[in-house]
Amino acid sequence: NAIGSAIRHFSTAHQLSAPDAWKTDYENTLLLNKELAEAYYLNGELEKSQDLIFNCLEKATNPIDRADIYYVWMLRLALESKYDEALDAAINGLKELEYDFPKTTTQEEVQINLQKIIAYFQEHPIPTLYDLPLMTSEKYKAVMKIMDNLTAPLYLGGKTELWILHVF
């Protein structure tokens, strides 16, 4: 199967990595470890995946990389239906990017945010959004990557108000 082949290839590359690979080839080492962690969790080898994820978090040198590892951790936890822990991983990743997302919210806060969105779109009709430049900030792209995949932990985890806030 494809996952098994990926694990064999990534594992071989991981074993052949130089002992100081995190220092001499940081980007490729991070990518290799992250991809191997993802392959392991998709193959049901959750402990191996977790070990690699935690090692990546320890070795990551910048907030965007750490946020991306928290993203992988969030996906892995959601796959196990550990939705509260997946939310924690997402919140930690977002904090790395200086983006605050609450762990809880109220119906009143949802209503306040809905009113903000309505007010925004009253001033900025949807067709005007097409004229905005494309997002180029790596930081905000990383925020969107996490937020875009937060649906399962929130919705399936029964956090309806947080899910609505997330959609906003």
Side-chain angles (χ1 to χ4, degrees):
N1 74 29
I3 299 295
S5 294
I7 289 172
R8 283 190 298 282
H9 290 294
F10 290 141
S11 292
T12 299
H14 191 261
Q15 291 167 1
L16 294 173
S17 295
D20 62 348
W22 280 103
K23 291 179 183 167
T24 60
D25 194 9
Y26 170 80
E27 285 184 27
N28 286 323
T29 303
L30 179 66
L31 180 61
L32 173 63
N33 280 269
K34 187 181 78 160
E35 295 295 328
L36 183 55
E38 286 184 84
Y40 275 142
Y41 84 66
L42 290 172
N43 200 46
E45 298 178 68
L46 303 179
E47 192 171 311
K48 288 180 179 180
S49 174
Q50 178 176 315
D51 291 345
L52 283 167
I53 289 168
F54 288 168
N55 186 50
C56 287
L57 280 172
E58 183 181 306
K59 304 282 187 180
T61 61
N62 65 69
I64 291 175
D65 289 344
R66 280 191 297 278
D68 199 37
I69 299 304
Y70 277 116
Y71 165 77
V72 173
W73 183 230
M74 174 191 72
L75 294 178
R76 183 201 169 273
L77 291 166
L79 186 69
E80 289 184 84
S81 301
K82 294 182 176 179
Y83 301 123
D84 285 338
E85 292 175 50
L87 174 58
D88 289 339
I91 288 171
N92 286 331
L94 293 168
K95 280 182 185 174
E96 289 285 343
L97 302 165
E98 300 173 343
Y99 186 90
D100 290 323
F101 189 79
K103 188 168 174 109
T104 61
T105 193
T106 64
Q107 185 63 36
E108 291 77 25
E109 290 171 325
V110 169
Q111 289 301 317
I112 290 168
N113 281 282
L114 176 60
Q115 292 307 315
K116 287 180 185 178
I117 289 172
I118 290 170
Y120 179 85
F121 283 114
Q122 285 173 340
E123 286 185 36
H124 307 89
I126 289 177
T128 64
L129 298 178
Y130 297 117
D131 297 330
L132 294 174
L134 293 176
M135 184 185 301
T136 58
S137 165
E138 292 303 315
K139 177 179 166 180
Y140 291 119
K141 286 181 183 180
V143 167
M144 293 304 298
K145 183 178 180 178
I146 292 171
M147 294 296 284
D148 190 40
N149 290 278
L150 197 50
T151 296
L154 295 177
Y155 189 77
L156 297 175
K159 299 189 179 305
T160 307
E161 284 83 15
L162 267 183
W163 176 74
I164 293 169
L165 190 64
H166 148 264
V167 170
F168 290 165

